[in-house]
Amino acid sequence: MYERGVAQWSRALAAREVSAVELAKLYLGRIEKQRGLNAFLDVRPEVTLAQAAAADAARARGEVTPLTGVPVAHKDVFVTRDFASTASSKMLEGYMSPFDAGIVENMARAGMVTLGKLNCDEFAMGSSNENSAYGNVGNPWDSAAVPGGSSGGSAAAVAARLAPAATATDTGGSIREPAAFTGITGIKPTYGRASRFGLIAFASSLDQAGLMTQTAEDAALIFNAMLGFDARDSTSIDRAGEDYTRELGRSVKGLTIGVPREFFGGGLKSDVEAPVRAALAEYQRMGARLIDISLPNAELGIPVYYVVAPAECSSNLSRFDGVRYGHRAREYSDLIDMIKKSRAQGFGPEPRRRILIGTYVLSHGYYDAYYLKAQKVRRLIADEFSRAFKECDLIAGPVTTSVAFNYGEKAADPVAMYLSDLYTIPGSLAGLPCMSLPCGFGTGGRPVGLQLMANHFDEARLLGAAHQFQLATDWHARLPRGID
Ligand code: GLN
């Protein structure tokens, strides 16, 4: 039963084949059994079962949405009233928020049941989940491999079928990279489409909430409830709601897919390139037209991102001062000493590194040379995408240069780790809706992802094209061994 996804559970719940409480128990049992993966940071069965009972009662009263009773788990960067919210940092250990994040609220309003909170890299900084203060997360496909990051817990939970869906965030690739590394479907919407209210901020001009699911159809169903304007987020876009499932049935015949040649350069490993090329050929077989495009500035994405993201994080993380919330040092001599000690004790090495870089690039004398320059190149990258979308409907390529790497392989070398996001950062800098779809396996039987990107607000098209691929292939339905 646990193999089922959101759409399948939605139908089973509607047909009364299963109740929300039964479903919650099924997943709570699986979470308990797979504790070794360390995907979950906080599970409170009494909260989950109460929500499930409320969903069953709502259904009995006839107050239903397609998601009533469907379970979901949340990345620990979304604040929740009923579960601790730590962003995987010691800084926020045990922190209970007085309110729910905007998207958590939207999903609860649609009747979804929360299974718990998911491990991630500290403050969503990382590509392997090795930066969590609460330990590594297992990749269900291979115990030596990282699950990717920063949404590693979300990815592992969906891949091991501990939840039919999980929320995640993308700042530079944290949905697509772990989705690719664990053989599941990941999507980030257009920047401004998902509320950032209650999303513990890392880099505000980039952070965007999205989903990890088994299929594009599952993500489309949840997007209908999750996305929309939120006046409490100043960058939320006030635009009419839409039905994200509306293009699922649309054929890809006549669709033009741009294939950026820069995404198939020297860095790309052949065991990733082969399945990605095969997926592109599958689109061609289904009637899409592939065209060669160029995104010459995309490779500048990494240097740009590692100026912009640390700059914004140094500002966002200044709120953790030991005064308002979060960790406070036990012993200190005066106020300044208290702030210093609290921050030194609360933040792990990666946030500290980024706060230092960010403070440096924003400082007087360096601002023009680094931050301003980075913003200009960011604009060039975004413009390049806009030009490309005049010629094509979607852009496709690999998500990562390699399959999931091993624990420890890049942990000591931050630059090697940062390069993991070579193909995902450009789409994040441009604020585009982007996906990762399972498209095969590489060395060691580790999963490979196909990246699809669309123009702003073209989520429905993107999901439709992804769904058509999933009707024609079964990569998304493959299960890791040993998870039952
Ligand atoms: N891996 C990138 C980083 O470390 C992206 C993280 C993210 O998207 N949250 O910043």
Side-chain angles (χ1 to χ4, degrees), residues 192 241 315 338 411 428 454:
S315 165
M338 188 276 280
S428 302

Side-chain angles (χ1 to χ4, degrees), residues 123-208:
F123 290 104
M125 297 171 188
S127 303
S128 65
N129 220 116
E130 287 163 291
N131 295 335
S132 168
Y134 304 104
N136 289 343
V137 171
N139 185 326
W141 291 92
D142 187 334
S143 57
V146 300
S150 65
S151 314
S154 306
V158 174
R161 307 307 192 238
L162 310 185
T167 55
T169 55
D170 182 294
T171 303
S174 281
I175 294 178
R176 286 160 285 161
E177 188 241 24
F181 281 3
T182 58
I184 59 166
T185 300
I187 180 165
K188 76 166 281 282
T190 306
Y191 180 80
R193 240 343 185 168
S195 169
R196 288 188 302 107
F197 177 75
L199 196 186
I200 298 172
F202 160 16
S204 308
S205 76
L206 292 157
D207 296 344
Q208 194 58 199

Side-chain angles (χ1 to χ4, degrees), residues 4 7 16 39 70 86 95 104 130 136 152 173 191 202 206 267 289 299 305 401 403 426 429-430:
R4 296 191 192 179
R16 316 256 172 147
V70 175
T86 70
Y95 176 70
V104 171
E130 287 163 291
N136 289 343
Y191 180 80
F202 160 16
L206 292 157
R289 192 167 64 100
E299 64 170 9
Y305 176 89
T401 53
V403 293
L429 289 171

